Amino acid sequence: MNYAQLENKLSSNTSYINKNDDEILQSFRKKFDVVHYNDKELFVFHNQREFRQQNHLISLHHRNSGRVPMHLFHYVVITYVYSGTFTIDVENTSVTLSAGDIIIFDKYVPHSVHPTSENDLGINIILHEHFFHTIFTNKLPNDRLITEFIFEIVNRQATHNHYLVYFTDDDFGIRNCIRNILCEYFDPDLSSADMIDHYIMILIMHLARKKSYDTNLAAMNYSNKDLLKNITSYIEQNYISGNLNELSDSLGYTPSYISRRIKLVFGKTFKQLINEQRMDKAALLLKNSELPIYEIADEVGISNITAFYKRFKDYTSYTPFEYRKQKV
């Protein structure tokens, strides 16, 4: 699919929904759990979305749509305004975006979207919780820049309630990233899922370079930014044999202090982060190599093959054999 074909696709009935406020509200009530939030209904999009071994989901925010009621995701969501304008209520604030603008929601951010006209079209990029681990695993260029950016958009503390808005003035590089993502999505070919992942990474790098955005995030305390980057770098490089005591010694802090910082920022323990890195690496090897499974287990630092099978299935919902067999 080329860009002209994409424009025809996005001008077709595919991009229209023609549902009013009440029809959308009733549809949400049938499909999603609801809780009360500030005396309003809040719909919770749980982990029922099926990623099918992919790191992302792509969807359209359609033209001629009624109001989307207050809801929240369990994922980081990037919304790009492809055409027209969008007004989004985020808790008690309204944000109006024009064509080319982007808003990035952290997990669990309550928001609603005003009705759209026939000219208003949005693109939603929903990121699996493993997406950012994949970035680190793949050793992207400029990973220090990406690390800083990810610490800003993914606040791992207990409360996730912030967003970032980029007024991009229809930046050519960003728009082409979105177009490339949509071409692969609507006309999939060999390795399209991987191609989309890489385009999303390029999109994130474009945004990281801009260094100019609006946010509801209170001024963050960056005094420990280097410490957090050092922790991430250590886990990246020492996931096979690293341990908390060694990490703490290298940073000049006590293990208990580093353990608390990790839990506060990442919402996980040191062991959980090490395990995630191992499983991400194992998944990469299963997908891109012909190594026997027992060698992959050893490669990621797990000598007990039974333990490796259990950990991998707990992490991905597939056995290593199933994961390799179902790869595309």
Side-chain angles (χ1 to χ4, degrees):
M1 177 179 283
N2 57 38
Y3 289 171
Q5 292 169 325
L6 174 64
E7 292 303 320
N8 288 335
K9 179 78 171 179
L10 295 179
S11 299
S12 70
N13 290 335
T14 301
S15 66
Y16 290 80
I17 193 170
N18 299 317
K19 287 187 177 180
N20 61 34
D21 295 8
D22 188 60
E23 287 173 319
I24 292 177
L25 180 61
Q26 295 308 318
S27 174
F28 272 40
R29 285 175 175 164
K30 290 178 182 178
K31 292 192 295 185
F32 305 115
D33 290 339
V34 60
V35 296
H36 289 284
Y37 179 82
N38 290 342
D39 298 323
K40 297 179 181 178
E41 288 182 317
L42 172 65
F43 294 91
V44 181
F45 294 7
H46 287 300
N47 295 333
Q48 68 266 58
R49 289 175 178 254
E50 178 56 68
F51 282 84
R52 299 183 183 278
Q53 294 193 53
Q54 296 181 7
N55 294 311
H56 61 264
L57 290 172
I58 310 298
S59 67
L60 299 182
H61 189 105
H62 294 87
R63 310 173 193 269
N64 281 2
S65 169
R67 183 182 185 94
V68 176
M70 192 68 71
H71 62 283
L72 60 81
F73 286 87
H74 279 229
Y75 312 99
V76 171
V77 180
I78 301 173
T79 297
Y80 175 84
V81 181
Y82 198 87
S83 64
T85 61
F86 271 68
T87 298
I88 301 174
D89 292 336
V90 189
E91 295 186 320
N92 298 318
T93 303
S94 287
V95 180
T96 299
L97 308 174
S98 300
D101 293 340
I102 288 177
I103 185 166
I104 304 177
F105 294 102
D106 193 2
K107 292 189 280 188
Y108 316 126
V109 179
H111 62 283
S112 64
V113 186
H114 288 216
T116 58
S117 72
E118 66 177 23
N119 189 44
D120 305 329
L121 178 64
I123 310 299
N124 294 321
I125 302 173
I126 304 167
L127 302 182
H128 193 284
E129 61 182 2
H130 300 153
F131 182 85
F132 295 103
H133 296 298
T134 302
I135 286 181
F136 291 130
T137 300
N138 287 344
K139 305 285 188 183
L140 283 182
N142 297 322
D143 57 351
R144 282 184 63 85
L145 178 64
I146 297 302
T147 300
E148 290 182 18
F149 184 69
I150 289 170
F151 277 132
E152 288 200 29
I153 68 171
V154 185
N155 177 16
R156 298 287 187 175
Q157 297 186 41
T159 56
H160 298 247
N161 58 5
H162 69 276
Y163 61 88
L164 301 178
V165 176
Y166 286 83
F167 300 105
T168 65
D169 297 321
D170 214 5
D171 180 283
F172 182 75
I174 288 174
R175 189 163 186 83
N176 277 351
C177 278
I178 296 294
R179 285 172 168 168
N180 291 335
I181 288 168
L182 292 175
C183 286
E184 294 291 339
Y185 170 70
F186 284 120
D187 188 23
D189 202 343
L190 184 66
S191 299
S192 281
D194 291 329
M195 291 285 287
I196 291 173
D197 274 352
H198 288 299
Y199 283 130
I200 294 172
M201 295 173 191
I202 293 170
L203 172 65
I204 289 173
M205 284 193 282
H206 270 294
L207 295 175
R209 291 167 67 179
K210 285 187 168 294
K211 297 186 180 296
S212 176
Y213 52 82
D214 284 353
T215 178
N216 72 329
L217 182 62
M220 293 177 65
N221 179 3
Y222 289 111
S223 61
N224 285 323
K225 181 188 277 189
D226 286 340
L227 172 63
L228 300 179
K229 286 188 290 185
N230 287 336
I231 291 172
T232 301
S233 178
Y234 177 88
I235 291 171
E236 227 178 79
Q237 297 170 22
N238 299 279
Y239 62 90
I240 295 175
S241 59
N243 62 76
L244 183 60
N245 287 334
E246 180 182 79
L247 169 62
S248 303
D249 287 344
S250 70
L251 298 175
Y253 293 95
T254 65
S256 60
Y257 176 81
I258 293 298
S259 181
R260 287 196 303 272
R261 294 305 304 169
I262 289 173
K263 186 67 175 178
L264 176 64
V265 175
F266 295 95
K268 297 171 183 175
T269 66
F270 175 81
K271 286 184 177 180
Q272 287 173 320
L273 293 179
I274 287 286
N275 186 63
E276 286 184 353
Q277 192 74 17
R278 287 174 169 177
M279 295 303 102
D280 286 336
K281 180 65 174 178
L284 203 63
L285 290 171
L286 285 165
K287 191 174 184 181
N288 296 293
S289 80
E290 299 301 325
L291 286 173
I293 293 174
Y294 71 88
E295 287 190 17
I296 291 175
D298 192 59
E299 182 78 13
V300 299
I302 303 174
S303 57
N304 186 314
I305 191 67
T306 303
F308 173 72
Y309 264 77
K310 183 179 186 308
R311 287 200 211 177
F312 192 85
K313 186 166 186 179
D314 286 345
Y315 188 66
T316 67
S317 300
Y318 296 94
T319 67
F321 177 77
E322 290 168 340
Y323 189 88
R324 171 170 272 171
K325 186 178 180 181
Q326 296 184 26
K327 71 177 184 179
V328 294

